[in-house]
Amino acid sequence: MANEKRVRHILSLSGGKDSAALAIYLRDRVPEMEYIFSDTRKELPETYEYLERISSYLGKEVTRLNADVGFDHWYEMYGGMIPSNHRRWCTRALKLKPFEQHCGNDEVINYVGLRADEERSGYISHKPNIKAVYPFKEDGLILRDIEEILRSSGVGMPPYTKWGRTRSGCYFCFYQQKIEWVRLKEAHPDLFEKAKEYEKPYDKTGNFFTWSQGESLAELEQPQRVEAIKREHVIRIQRKAARRENITLAEVFASAEVAEEPEDDDDQGCLVCQL
Ligand code: SF4
């Protein structure tokens, strides 16, 4: 009908495995899909590489939002305050707002890659013209299915998982586990150094905010501390293996699901940045 309102279908890629698998899963079911990526300009190099790979599989461009301003612009606007789970200005400024601006007042169906086997919550748009849908949840797809979609398509897992990073998002994301900081230093020492540079007294109060809970990166990178973090990680893996039947320790280490296990209850990751 001539005056029927057009509905846009938008899938936001995060650089993570779940949104990548969802794009593959829906490619032929929703051919009019628009793919977007909100670029904080602080992503891992592997994320940009992965987006290229996904785009070439989809045969479509991935539109980059935030082309003009990235994390540092907003970091300055917030007076040099490192974001955290309780001061999470970054997701709002760098992910949600650009997405909502991109949608405008159009009717939008927003496809979200939350799986049937997870109970994450997080920042999604609540604008009345944007309706979130969860195809993996609706179709009962779990981690094993997502891994199979990525494997059989040839797109594969995000390349940063090879060195033990489990989440997409900024290289300095505060949701990282301590073991991931250690691995970041090993895989990308230059990025670790850059992350360290943000840890300085906050202009307004003189408070010293850190990316990782309870310690600065300068403390975390000390050899004895690194050894302790590695030891604690192995113990956590062993505990998890002991809780699960019919699974060898090697399988536990190989399982992406294990790597996603948070270090504490506050470490649930971000629904917008890390799907
Ligand atoms: S990845 Fe982490 S640091 Fe980056 S915008 Fe998302 S929550 Fe913030």
Side-chain angles (χ1 to χ4, degrees):
M1 270 195 280
N3 58 357
E4 204 171 274
K5 216 170 178 192
R6 183 174 77 101
V7 177
R8 291 168 69 190
H9 299 259
I10 302 183
L11 194 157
S12 178
L13 290 160
S14 67
K17 66 181 184 319
D18 296 318
S19 60
L22 186 62
I24 295 164
Y25 186 64
L26 297 176
R27 182 186 69 171
D28 300 328
R29 300 170 202 217
V30 190
E32 66 272 50
M33 188 78 83
E34 297 174 41
Y35 301 97
I36 61 164
F37 173 66
S38 296
D39 191 351
T40 63
R41 298 192 181 185
K42 300 293 171 185
E43 311 288 334
L44 290 161
E46 291 90 342
T47 297
Y48 297 113
E49 182 195 325
Y50 196 47
L51 287 169
E52 288 299 319
R53 214 192 286 173
I54 298 164
S55 169
S56 111
Y57 177 89
L58 298 171
K60 271 193 181 177
E61 281 293 311
V62 175
T63 303
R64 292 220 186 154
L65 309 183
N66 274 334
D68 297 328
V69 293
F71 180 90
D72 285 339
H73 168 83
W74 292 106
Y75 176 69
E76 292 300 322
M77 299 285 282
Y78 280 87
M81 181 173 66
I82 286 180
S84 73
N85 196 23
H86 310 292
R87 304 182 300 272
R88 210 161 104 204
W89 53 262
C90 52
T91 311
R92 269 194 312 277
L94 294 159
K95 301 282 178 177
L96 263 192
K97 276 196 176 166
F99 172 67
E100 289 178 346
Q101 274 163 8
H102 184 71
C103 295
N105 292 322
D106 296 341
E107 291 295 319
V108 167
I109 297 181
N110 176 27
Y111 294 80
V112 182
L114 205 64
R115 306 190 309 262
D117 58 347
E118 59 181 352
E119 280 306 327
R120 263 198 281 172
S121 59
Y123 284 23
I124 57 164
S125 178
H126 295 292
K127 279 187 73 179
N129 57 315
I130 301 174
K131 180 183 175 226
V133 292
Y134 304 88
F136 286 158
K137 273 203 170 295
E138 283 155 24
D139 297 349
L141 269 63
I142 61 173
L143 178 68
R144 201 182 314 126
D145 303 308
I146 272 64
E147 289 174 340
E148 180 53 24
I149 290 170
L150 293 172
R151 193 199 59 75
S152 59
S153 66
V155 169
M157 290 289 279
Y160 48 74
T161 55
K162 287 203 182 90
W163 50 267
R165 166 98 173 202
T166 63
R167 303 172 196 279
S168 54
C170 305
Y171 64 80
F172 46 49
C173 184
F174 49 84
Y175 278 118
Q176 273 176 96
Q177 301 170 47
K178 298 210 183 262
I179 187 70
E180 291 180 282
W181 280 109
V182 169
R183 290 167 180 161
L184 178 72
K185 184 173 167 64
E186 289 169 354
H188 290 291
D190 54 327
L191 297 182
F192 188 89
E193 286 306 309
K194 283 186 179 169
K196 258 166 75 180
E197 286 169 18
Y198 287 93
E199 292 188 328
K200 56 188 182 203
Y202 174 49
D203 286 352
K204 288 186 184 158
T205 59
N207 286 354
F208 189 85
F209 293 121
T210 57
W211 289 114
S212 184
Q213 214 178 348
E215 62 189 332
S216 69
L217 294 182
E219 290 165 328
L220 186 149
E221 71 174 336
Q222 295 306 311
Q224 279 187 333
R225 181 68 185 122
V226 166
E227 284 314 306
I229 290 170
K230 287 183 173 175
R231 266 199 315 276
E232 284 157 20
H233 179 66
V234 170
I235 290 168
R236 199 161 45 245
I237 295 280
Q238 286 170 335
R239 274 203 210 110
K240 175 138 187 169
R243 286 204 301 270
R244 293 178 63 178
E245 291 173 6
N246 304 325
I247 187 163
T248 66
L249 197 55
E251 284 169 331
V252 174
F253 270 106
S255 158
E257 191 177 15
V258 161
E260 283 184 352
E261 186 178 66
E263 284 176 331
D264 56 52
D265 290 343
D266 223 14
D267 187 23
Q268 294 296 319
C270 170
L271 199 58
V272 183
C273 311
Q274 293 160 343
L275 268 180

